[in-house]
Amino acid sequence: FDRAVEVRSNATTVTRTVPVDFEGIQSGIAEADADETVEIAEGTFEPRNEIVVDTEGVELAAADPTDRPTIESPRQSDTLVTVEAEDIRLSDLRIDGDGTGSGVVLDANNTTVRNVRISNTSTGIDEADGTNRISRATVVDAGRGITLAGDGDTTVEFSRKGMSDVN
């Protein structure tokens, strides 16, 4: 995401917006304010722990939707991404597990998972709570595709589960 900075030179003050880079996805989330987007660059990311989205209104999205980044299984957790805050959006991502755990756990209301590809997990998307929207999600090589245990009003549209690795 971007931040406004003030540049002062003598008596002139100019405000500019500049991109901010962080060490990892979790540190970007920690610095994000409500309704900001944490853009994830192309490439493969292997976080140490699960990624926890706990700031209301944040979006995790590919910087370039045509070249989606891959989040691989964390070294110290079976869950890759957990949503704990409301009004979260996950967009244009690839999530690749190690054959265990959940790709995405939804534990809040009003999360949108859109155009996310999850592979090699026990459960692709595990909705533990809330009313959410899952659109164009693809889950492959998982024991269970999407489990819904929330409030019962979650919408799943244009999503699929497969047993082989397809884009």
Side-chain angles (χ1 to χ4, degrees):
F1 55 91
D2 300 333
R3 288 280 190 207
V5 295
E6 287 186 357
V7 179
R8 295 179 188 195
S9 173
N10 299 329
T12 306
T13 300
V14 177
T15 301
R16 298 202 173 138
T17 302
V18 295
V20 179
D21 289 328
F22 292 95
E23 252 181 54
I25 297 168
Q26 190 66 58
S27 60
I29 294 167
E31 292 298 320
D33 293 326
D35 299 319
E36 288 189 318
T37 300
V38 177
E39 291 186 340
I40 304 170
E42 64 180 279
T44 301
F45 299 87
E46 184 184 351
R48 178 173 297 144
N49 297 302
E50 74 184 281
I51 295 171
V52 178
V53 186
D54 56 1
T55 301
E56 186 172 319
V58 167
E59 178 175 12
L60 287 186
D64 177 1
T66 63
D67 197 2
R68 295 184 282 175
T70 299
I71 300 169
E72 290 189 337
S73 208
R75 290 172 272 183
Q76 297 178 11
S77 177
D78 285 339
T79 300
L80 282 84
V81 178
T82 297
V83 174
E84 294 181 348
E86 296 194 1
D87 301 316
I88 302 300
R89 293 164 315 284
L90 305 177
S91 306
D92 303 310
L93 304 172
R94 291 177 182 264
I95 297 173
D96 186 25
D98 63 2
T100 64
S102 297
V104 176
V105 173
L106 305 178
D107 201 11
N109 275 311
N110 204 29
T111 298
T112 299
V113 178
R114 184 183 59 77
N115 199 27
V116 173
R117 182 182 178 282
I118 302 167
S119 60
N120 200 22
T121 58
S122 290
T123 303
I125 299 172
D126 185 4
E127 181 194 60
D129 193 16
T131 297
N132 303 289
R133 180 171 183 250
I134 301 166
S135 177
R136 299 186 189 279
T138 301
V139 179
V140 296
D141 296 328
R144 290 179 299 276
I146 301 171
T147 61
L148 303 175
D151 296 336
D153 290 327
T154 292
T155 303
V156 179
E157 55 190 15
F158 307 111
S159 297
R160 64 183 178 169
K161 179 186 184 293
M163 292 309 294
S164 62
D165 194 9
V166 294
N167 288 328

